[in-house]
Amino acid sequence: MDMYFTKEHEWVKIKEGTAAVGITEYAAHQLGDVTFVELPQAGKTVKQFDTLAGIESVKAASDIYAPVSGKVTEVNEALNDRPEIVNEAPEDAGWIAWIEMADTAELAQLMNREQYDEYVRGLE
């Protein structure tokens, strides 16, 4: 699966025109212990870089932005009972939502893993 990243520390994994979305390990570490995830509604239409979801931790409350435009097809209901999954496996089981992509050309506005790692090194 191809994986891309935003400067706001979201990741997106592409599988057959659909994108899984979550926050990066860097973001999960920066937030500290996640206490609540406000999931989007399935069926919601989002635009690239608009607010997709919300996340609260012991340190802060933040928005999670949609890396791509499209329709939310599935949300990670497990996060309602166990938001700490975002800390345990942010780039795997801690996914937030799946989005049916409206325009794959938007991926050109995102970073690949190497570019994202370099971006994060520049923040430290």
Side-chain angles (χ1 to χ4, degrees), residues 29-76:
H29 179 75
Q30 292 295 313
L31 283 168
D33 294 338
V34 173
T35 57
F36 178 73
V37 179
E38 182 182 351
L39 297 168
Q41 293 277 329
K44 176 182 180 179
T45 300
V46 294
K47 291 188 175 186
Q48 187 177 35
F49 305 131
D50 280 357
T51 302
L52 172 67
I55 192 164
E56 294 179 13
S57 72
V58 293
K59 290 184 179 176
S62 302
D63 288 333
I64 298 172
Y65 300 100
V68 294
S69 301
K71 181 178 169 185
V72 175
T73 59
E74 186 178 354
V75 298
N76 189 351

Side-chain angles (χ1 to χ4, degrees), residues 75-88:
V75 298
N76 189 351
E77 301 282 355
L79 298 178
N80 287 327
D81 296 329
R82 296 195 55 235
E84 65 271 19
I85 296 171
V86 172
N87 293 110
E88 295 167 1

